[in-house]
Amino acid sequence: MSSTAVLEEAPSEEVLSNVDIDIEVTSSTLILGSQMNNEDGHSEDASMLVEGTTPVEMRQTNVTTVPKEPSTCWKTGARYCIVTFCCLNVVMLVFGGLWPALSQYSKDDHKRIVIIQTDRLVNVVNERFLSVALDSSLIRKNFKKFDMKSKAARMLGSSLSPCYLRVGGTAADRLIFVENHPKNGQNDDAPALPIDGGPCAYEAELCTKNHAYFNMSGEAFLEINTFAKTTGMDMIFDLNALLRNGKVWDDTNAKELLAYANGLNLKLNWQLGNEPNAYRHQFDEVVEATQLGDDYVNLRNLLNSYPKYAKSLLVGPDITRPRPPKLADLDYLREFLRTAGPRLNAVTWHQYNLNGREATLQDFLNVETYNTLYEQIILVNNAVRSMALGTPIWLGETGSAFGGGAPELSDRFVASFLWLDKLGVAASEGIHVVVRQSLYGGHYGLLRTEHKGDHKGALIPNPDFWVSILHKKLVGTGVVGVTLLNDFKGPVRIYCHCTEPSALHPGLGAVTIFGVNLLPDAIELSLQGTHNVSSVDRYILQGESGLQSQYVLLNGEKLDIGPNYRIPPLTAQPMDLNSPISMPEHSIGFWVLHGAQVPACQNTQ
């Protein structure tokens, strides 16, 4: 077995390890309730099932397809033709028991064949993979409607730990720390700040119109840190990068904040600036990438001068998503990394799928909306890897739609498809942490304040909160490769992880399959690549009243918070092993396959 590791320095002085594990094993094949072995008792490689079928798009698997049309064979001579004919017949004989499944797939649009690749993990994510953010604009608003001292906020927030709590956003570059500021987070003349930049997020106007500088008191800063500590989150604070002496970052205010935090022994991680490559259209200012790199070096040295913060994480630079064919943001990232790369614990970037002002219901169901993330991750990964730093890559801020989200869409069940798929894509494509914008605030908040009915004024979950809770409960850090035959990047999207250890049955391993069905019709999944499954737990999520419902059904039962803001039992529905795995129309599914023997998962469970 060979392994390579990328280490992240954790704020609590432990070291988080992201390890790619490569284990030589033999995969078994399962069509739920039926395992197919050859005469020697060994399972055949399921990927070979595609030999001789129509070409399909494959991913993360070593699949050999027939490269030529039948007529081409005769052009290369009779010998080649005879050998090819014999090989195809052997393959068909060996896999004859599974051939009907593929034949049925071609005739039945509601069936999907899913091959689980058990030989190795494609990624191992951070244990805080699913993390959350609070926008800095909430500080200016004195946390109106979100009382972090309340039992509701602390109980609901703690259900998402372990995670990072990133405090940042456009308003971070307007924030000034004033320890004894009398108005606790307010400035005499500053107007209320919109979350996520508001109108300036759409590049229609400069952020300076609505983003005057404002003050954060020591009391406000301590309140956020106390919330993070109480809920089991690790706080990341985004310092103001637009406080400058000419071209150079003015670290005076940062030193005041560090001295205050150190005096109270507060646990913290840090970053500097928010979307610096977009400063021109946001604030009519420019901070060159090399200069920002020097500023990060200065900040790292400043942190190292405090024993408390010498091991704190420093992450950045939080560039905006790459948008082909204009890729100047990637040039900015590379220039920045040439200077600051060795000082970083993680490289961060931001991504939103849609424009919050323009998004429609159909956009949330369009596979092209989903597929852009693949392309953007590849571009960022290539840019970072070209620097040969070996630094983990984080999605440092993300949501369904920028500008605060899309009204009546980002806070509805239909947005949960996009959220779960983003978690699946990011993990399988090498991202180590995904920071959700936001825990509270905007249309994309995981939590909202109810404005009507019996819960008026109460803090309650949006649909994406329940998806996040189930992901935390069932999905572990080891990412298992998946091939979905004939439907890669289509409306049915499936992912697989090693099961979260706390969800395992005693003495048994397991894998968790999860995904979304964007189709208006039910579908069935035939799983191949695991064996010895002893039981299957099923979790199906649907909108209570359709795609734009703000309430969610789990296996037909409405989810709601219990007394004292306790999360209700998220009860599984046991499956008959002889029954197919089914997904209703417009649904989200998680399945835990207990007893599944996946050697690659042994080091993560």
Side-chain angles (χ1 to χ4, degrees), residues 34 65 87 112-113 182 214 341 358 375 401 496 523 595:
S34 175
T65 56
C87 289
R112 301 294 190 279
I113 295 177
F214 68 99
E358 300 174 355
E375 301 160 5
C496 180
I523 58 101

Side-chain angles (χ1 to χ4, degrees), residues 218-363:
E219 182 182 348
F221 184 74
L222 180 59
E223 184 177 341
I224 304 170
N225 192 269
T226 301
F227 172 76
K229 181 179 179 180
T230 303
T231 56
M233 301 181 184
D234 289 331
M235 181 174 167
I236 301 173
F237 190 76
D238 190 1
L239 294 164
N240 188 339
L242 287 179
L243 296 175
R244 311 196 77 77
N245 288 324
K247 293 184 177 181
V248 179
W249 177 53
D250 184 350
D251 62 8
T252 305
N253 197 244
K255 289 177 178 177
E256 293 173 1
L257 179 56
L258 273 166
Y260 174 79
N262 185 66
L264 294 176
N265 198 34
L266 303 183
K267 182 180 178 182
L268 286 161
N269 304 287
W270 307 89
Q271 60 184 151
L272 177 60
N274 182 81
E275 300 182 357
N277 60 309
Y279 281 162
R280 183 184 295 277
H281 90 255
Q282 290 179 338
F283 299 108
D284 197 25
E285 296 192 40
V286 175
V287 176
E288 299 294 345
T290 52
Q291 179 58 59
L292 185 67
D294 289 336
D295 298 335
Y296 261 78
V297 172
N298 178 23
L299 176 55
R300 181 74 266 178
N301 291 336
L302 184 58
L303 295 176
N304 291 345
S305 68
Y306 291 88
K308 175 71 178 177
Y309 301 121
K311 292 188 177 181
S312 291
L313 298 182
L314 178 60
V315 304
D318 277 31
I319 65 160
T320 56
R321 71 194 190 281
R323 287 169 283 184
K326 298 179 180 179
L327 298 177
D329 34 13
L330 293 180
D331 294 333
Y332 190 100
L333 177 61
R334 281 187 285 264
E335 286 297 317
F336 168 82
L337 291 176
R338 286 189 180 97
T339 304
R343 307 298 181 97
L344 294 176
N345 297 97
V347 177
T348 57
W349 61 291
H350 294 182
Q351 192 271 349
Y352 291 88
N353 299 81
L354 296 166
N355 181 323
R357 280 184 173 177
E358 300 174 355
T360 66
L361 178 63
Q362 287 307 311
D363 290 330

